[in-house]
Amino acid sequence: MAKLSLDISIARGNFALTVQQDLALEGITALFGPSGSGKTTLLRIIAGLENHALGRVAFDDTVWQDGRRRVPSHRRRIGYVFQDGRLFAHLTVERNLEFALERAGSGGAIGFADVVAALDLKSLLARRPGSLSGGEQQRVAIGRALLTSPRLLLMDEPLSALDTNRKREIIPHIEKLPSTFNLPVLYVTHNVDEVARLAADVLLLSGGRVAAHGKVADVLERIDLWTFTGGHETGAVLQAEVRSLRGGIASLSLGTQILQVPMTDARIGATLRLRIHARDVAIATQRPQHLSIRNVLNARILRIDLDASVYVELLLAVDEQHLRARITRDALDELGLKPEQSVFALVKSVALESTLLG
């Protein structure tokens, strides 16, 4: 597991960024927060692209910056994927990739054929960037970054310019990068669903400061972070294993309980990450009958969080995982709900389906 140590600051006009944080990098770590919070600036400091940054940056046992002394960007062995791809328009896809391979030199650990296969680029090699869709361009940009054989891959909102269909095409490729190439990824986004789908850990920035850091499931379920994660979008992240497929419906195991989700392309035995919005979970004190909602889970109320609105949020235990439900205060009083009470959580399949599709 790689380690990134940050003790940095930078001031520019009315904005100042200060981060003191050690990050254990395994898989994908999200740098998350609202626009203007400092995410891209922090990524550029890590890459060595901000000349006015002060402080210390170290990756494992290599110090990249100490005070104003810094290792040049091209010597840090970092791959950088920008929002817009930044491919060479006059070169074919193959030549764009070969250019990166030449930069890596003879010591490159990642091979051309492996990148082409992992990102499904074979049919694109003879084409020029101008003839590619946005998603195809980003796949090529990721491939070019990989072929420099980096120790760390930085991705700056790579999906922000893509429509929903293009996002669905590229997300599975991004998910597999750490395991395929044994490479940690720092992924900048302001989209909470991307965090939930892709990342294992998250560093939440707000106003140039660290607001939270930890496992994605823990950070996204915290009610005190609603300002950043979006109160209406709060929810929980669950892990589920695909047990069976029948008639377009996948049975997903949460442990001892099963979720039924419309899916056609799941692989039996695969582990999926689900984000279920609190607004899509209802509560019953008795198991309901004659109901169109197919997913009714046994749950236990861990905590009841009140806010200034007419709603309350329940933190629920479902097997060994957590789920959130948003209900009105009137419903809370009428049902007589309290911590440690056993209840039934009703989950709409459509909420799960949209999350699984990316």
Side-chain angles (χ1 to χ4, degrees), residues 136-147:
E136 290 170 338
Q137 289 185 35
Q138 282 299 71
R139 279 159 46 206
V140 176
I142 293 169
R144 189 175 62 178
L146 290 171
L147 284 170

Side-chain angles (χ1 to χ4, degrees), residues 145-205:
L146 290 171
L147 284 170
T148 64
S149 290
R151 299 173 67 191
L152 173 64
L153 183 63
L154 307 181
M155 307 187 78
D156 188 4
E157 301 205 54
L159 306 183
S160 62
L162 305 182
D163 61 29
T164 300
N165 288 334
R166 302 291 84 76
K167 288 181 180 181
R168 288 173 177 171
E169 291 175 2
I170 197 171
I171 278 178
H173 295 292
I174 294 175
E175 276 183 316
K176 298 173 183 176
L177 292 177
S179 58
T180 301
F181 297 102
N182 191 28
L183 179 70
V185 177
L186 271 178
Y187 184 97
V188 166
T189 183
H190 63 270
N191 185 308
V192 69
D193 285 323
E194 290 180 28
V195 175
R197 171 71 185 263
L198 293 170
D201 297 281
V202 58
L203 181 70
L204 173 58
L205 295 179

Side-chain angles (χ1 to χ4, degrees), residues 38-207:
K39 305 183 299 296
T40 294
T41 300
L42 179 57
L43 209 68
R44 287 175 55 83
I45 291 172
I46 294 167
L49 300 175
E50 289 288 350
N51 294 330
H52 298 291
L54 300 175
R56 190 174 190 272
V57 179
F59 183 79
D60 285 341
D61 56 355
T62 304
V63 177
W64 284 341
Q65 178 173 337
D66 193 356
R68 289 191 178 275
R69 294 178 299 172
R70 59 177 54 82
V71 174
S73 180
H74 66 276
R75 291 177 51 198
R76 297 191 183 195
R77 287 187 58 196
I78 286 175
Y80 204 122
V81 180
F82 297 90
Q83 295 180 27
D84 54 2
R86 303 194 182 185
L87 302 175
F88 297 120
H90 64 290
L91 299 179
T92 64
V93 167
E94 185 170 23
R95 284 299 300 140
N96 268 276
L97 297 175
E98 288 175 346
F99 176 82
L101 197 61
E102 290 163 4
R103 284 188 59 197
S106 59
I110 296 179
F112 186 91
D114 293 333
V115 168
V116 169
L119 295 170
D120 193 20
L121 300 178
K122 185 176 181 179
S123 64
L124 308 180
L125 292 177
R127 295 167 60 182
R128 283 186 164 82
S131 70
L132 305 178
S133 70
E136 290 170 338
Q137 289 185 35
Q138 282 299 71
R139 279 159 46 206
V140 176
I142 293 169
R144 189 175 62 178
L146 290 171
L147 284 170
T148 64
S149 290
R151 299 173 67 191
L152 173 64
L153 183 63
L154 307 181
M155 307 187 78
D156 188 4
E157 301 205 54
L159 306 183
S160 62
L162 305 182
D163 61 29
T164 300
N165 288 334
R166 302 291 84 76
K167 288 181 180 181
R168 288 173 177 171
E169 291 175 2
I170 197 171
I171 278 178
H173 295 292
I174 294 175
E175 276 183 316
K176 298 173 183 176
L177 292 177
S179 58
T180 301
F181 297 102
N182 191 28
L183 179 70
V185 177
L186 271 178
Y187 184 97
V188 166
T189 183
H190 63 270
N191 185 308
V192 69
D193 285 323
E194 290 180 28
V195 175
R197 171 71 185 263
L198 293 170
D201 297 281
V202 58
L203 181 70
L204 173 58
L205 295 179
S206 176

Side-chain angles (χ1 to χ4, degrees), residues 108-318:
I110 296 179
F112 186 91
D114 293 333
V115 168
V116 169
L119 295 170
D120 193 20
L121 300 178
K122 185 176 181 179
S123 64
L124 308 180
L125 292 177
R127 295 167 60 182
R128 283 186 164 82
S131 70
L132 305 178
S133 70
E136 290 170 338
Q137 289 185 35
Q138 282 299 71
R139 279 159 46 206
V140 176
I142 293 169
R144 189 175 62 178
L146 290 171
L147 284 170
T148 64
S149 290
R151 299 173 67 191
L152 173 64
L153 183 63
L154 307 181
M155 307 187 78
D156 188 4
E157 301 205 54
L159 306 183
S160 62
L162 305 182
D163 61 29
T164 300
N165 288 334
R166 302 291 84 76
K167 288 181 180 181
R168 288 173 177 171
E169 291 175 2
I170 197 171
I171 278 178
H173 295 292
I174 294 175
E175 276 183 316
K176 298 173 183 176
L177 292 177
S179 58
T180 301
F181 297 102
N182 191 28
L183 179 70
V185 177
L186 271 178
Y187 184 97
V188 166
T189 183
H190 63 270
N191 185 308
V192 69
D193 285 323
E194 290 180 28
V195 175
R197 171 71 185 263
L198 293 170
D201 297 281
V202 58
L203 181 70
L204 173 58
L205 295 179
S206 176
R209 299 291 188 274
V210 175
H213 172 243
K215 295 297 181 185
V216 166
D218 296 335
V219 172
L220 293 189
E221 74 179 25
R222 283 175 52 183
I223 191 171
D224 60 305
L225 299 177
W226 276 7
T227 303
F228 314 113
T229 57
H232 189 60
E233 298 300 319
T234 55
V237 178
L238 291 82
Q239 299 280 350
E241 180 183 340
V242 181
R243 287 291 182 87
S244 65
L245 292 169
R246 182 177 181 182
I249 301 295
S251 294
L252 308 180
S253 170
L254 296 173
T256 62
Q257 301 190 72
I258 297 293
L259 288 170
Q260 302 288 336
V261 180
M263 290 187 71
T264 57
D265 57 353
R267 177 175 57 83
I268 294 177
T271 298
L272 303 178
R273 183 181 298 177
L274 320 177
R275 183 165 189 255
I276 302 176
H277 293 100
R279 66 175 185 267
D280 291 319
V281 180
I283 297 297
T285 55
Q286 298 180 358
R287 180 174 287 277
Q289 297 180 342
H290 313 297
L291 193 68
S292 63
I293 296 176
R294 310 312 299 164
N295 292 304
V296 180
L297 303 173
N298 296 308
R300 177 170 53 88
I301 299 175
L302 296 176
R303 192 172 71 235
I304 299 175
D305 296 317
L306 306 177
D307 65 17
S309 71
V310 298
Y311 295 98
V312 301
E313 287 233 359
L314 309 181
L315 180 64
L316 308 169
V318 176

